[in-house]
Amino acid sequence: MSAQRTRRSFIVGVTAAFGLMATPLRALTEQAAKSLVDQVVKEIQKVIGSGKSDSAVLRDLERIFVKYADVNIMAQYALGVDGRSASASQKRAFQDAFQGYIARKYGKQFRDFIGGRVEVEEVKTIRSGYEVKTKAYLRGQSPFEVAFHVSDKSGRDKFFNVYIEGVNLLLTERTEIGSMLDRRGGDINAVVADLKKMG
């Protein structure tokens, strides 16, 4: 596996793991954003070091994704303009398929991160919330920067995107899913069926 693919897999996988820590009736703070990142990284590392079977690890990673990610916003963004004409049931089906697809696609590669670590280096304010910059240390690779974007616009502290050395991973997924929609003539139901089989 190339270093570039490994890094992308790591970021999207972690993207898949962030978001729904409840913080009702309060504004997101710098410390809360940092704590969110710390907690998700801790849970991911616990799962990949658990010694469980691959299928069990994938189930745990999907659970983390559902627990912490702003799945609704991420799925809407990945679906893009095609989502404007989608019915409510299609959007729900796409969201469910999307979360499973992300967990399977990137979860399979988390074994490569056993023994690695992610350290928070800086937290700064951005228009939509906070950017939590970290340094990822994986075995056999030079350290690289991973930036997590955290917001509470949905009413809870959630992770909604990740950048790896400046590469927007959610945008990457949107591009890939857009290509799938093009191949399917914009048929969201067909793409949902495809996503259920992919990863």
Side-chain angles (χ1 to χ4, degrees), residues 30-54:
E30 179 177 313
Q31 182 56 47
K34 178 182 181 299
S35 295
L36 177 63
V37 173
D38 285 339
Q39 181 63 27
V40 174
V41 169
K42 178 180 178 181
E43 290 198 23
I44 290 172
Q45 291 177 329
K46 181 178 179 180
V47 168
I48 63 177
S50 66
K52 293 182 179 179
S53 67
D54 287 346

Side-chain angles (χ1 to χ4, degrees), residues 4-180:
Q4 181 179 8
R5 183 178 177 188
T6 297
R7 293 180 180 193
R8 286 187 59 214
S9 300
F10 172 75
I11 296 310
V12 175
V14 175
T15 300
F18 275 84
L20 300 179
M21 293 189 77
T23 52
L25 303 178
R26 70 168 179 81
L28 178 67
T29 64
E30 179 177 313
Q31 182 56 47
K34 178 182 181 299
S35 295
L36 177 63
V37 173
D38 285 339
Q39 181 63 27
V40 174
V41 169
K42 178 180 178 181
E43 290 198 23
I44 290 172
Q45 291 177 329
K46 181 178 179 180
V47 168
I48 63 177
S50 66
K52 293 182 179 179
S53 67
D54 287 346
S55 60
V57 167
L58 292 178
R59 286 194 298 272
D60 286 347
L61 290 174
E62 184 170 356
R63 173 188 56 77
I64 291 171
F65 182 38
V66 173
K67 180 180 179 182
Y68 291 107
D70 193 339
V71 181
N72 183 44
I73 294 299
M74 292 172 65
Q76 285 182 31
Y77 185 83
L79 189 55
V81 296
D82 292 271
R84 295 175 185 171
S85 59
S87 67
S89 62
Q90 284 179 316
K91 290 178 181 178
R92 285 193 299 271
F94 178 82
Q95 179 175 316
D96 290 344
F98 177 77
Q99 73 181 39
Y101 156 74
I102 290 293
R104 291 189 303 275
K105 179 177 180 180
Y106 298 98
K108 290 177 180 178
Q109 302 174 43
F110 268 93
R111 296 290 185 188
D112 295 333
F113 307 122
I114 294 174
R117 70 186 193 279
V118 178
E119 297 179 357
V120 174
E121 295 195 325
E122 177 186 4
V123 182
K124 70 176 184 179
T125 303
I126 57 175
R127 183 175 61 181
S128 53
Y130 288 95
E131 179 180 69
V132 182
K133 288 188 176 181
T134 73
K135 189 76 74 175
Y137 299 85
L138 304 185
R139 294 184 302 185
Q141 295 190 45
S142 299
F144 55 95
E145 184 178 274
V146 181
F148 303 104
H149 287 192
V150 180
S151 174
D152 65 350
K153 293 190 181 300
S154 64
R156 300 177 179 178
D157 298 351
K158 301 179 182 182
F159 177 86
F160 65 92
N161 202 359
V162 180
Y163 289 72
I164 174 77
E165 296 182 333
V167 177
N168 182 331
L169 270 297
L170 188 53
L171 179 59
T172 298
E173 283 302 310
R174 178 173 180 159
T175 300
E176 293 184 9
I177 288 174
S179 295
M180 293 171 61

